[in-house]
């Protein structure tokens, strides 16, 4: 039974994960812009690392219409960014 519980947990945790190619360009661009600003870095310093979660809910359980992206910043603080598909940034936090 423990194996089943572990497998089910892993499946549920990965349910929101998605391929980087599916992330809307406006969402990526907004997160990159805010990651550079957060780090007071030059444009182009932040890079989307391909880690994305779709259907992020802002509050409470259930799917939402938002994306959570991880952005790497060379020489700075990596960022977790929650953004809408059309590029409206909801939240920017240090990743980790």
């Amino acid at each position: 039974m423990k194996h089943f519980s572990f497998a089910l947990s892993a499946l549920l945790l990965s349910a929101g994960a998605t391929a980087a190619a599916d992330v809307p360009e406006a969402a990526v661009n907004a997160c990159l812009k805010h990651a550079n600003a957060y780090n007071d870095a030059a444009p182009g310093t932040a890079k989307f690392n391909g880690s994305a979660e779709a259907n992020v809910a802002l509050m409470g359980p259930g799917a939402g219409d938002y994306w959570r992206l991880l952005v790497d910043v060379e020489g700075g603080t990596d960022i977790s960014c929650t953004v809408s598909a059309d590029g409206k940034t909801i939240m920017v936090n240090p990743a980790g």
Side-chain angles (χ1 to χ4, degrees), residues 5-6 15 17 25 27 29 34 36-37 50 52 54-55 60 72 74 90 92-93:
S5 298
F6 179 77
E25 186 176 347
N29 289 338
H34 287 286
N36 285 329
N55 301 321
D72 296 333
E74 185 177 328
I90 308 303
V92 177
N93 295 312

Side-chain angles (χ1 to χ4, degrees), residues 29-55:
N29 289 338
C31 286
L32 294 175
K33 175 183 166 189
H34 287 286
N36 285 329
Y38 183 93
N39 283 281
D40 197 26
T45 303
K47 304 289 182 206
F48 173 47
N49 73 9
S51 179
E53 181 181 352
N55 301 321

Side-chain angles (χ1 to χ4, degrees), residues 4-19 51-56 68:
F4 177 76
S5 298
F6 179 77
L8 181 59
S9 295
L11 178 63
L12 292 175
L13 288 175
S14 65
T18 188
S51 179
E53 181 181 352
N55 301 321
V56 174
R68 184 171 301 118

Side-chain angles (χ1 to χ4, degrees), residues 1 8 15 23-24 29-30 43 53 58 68 70-73 75 80:
M1 188 65 164
L8 181 59
V23 181
N29 289 338
E53 181 181 352
L58 290 182
R68 184 171 301 118
L70 292 180
V71 175
D72 296 333
V73 180
S80 170

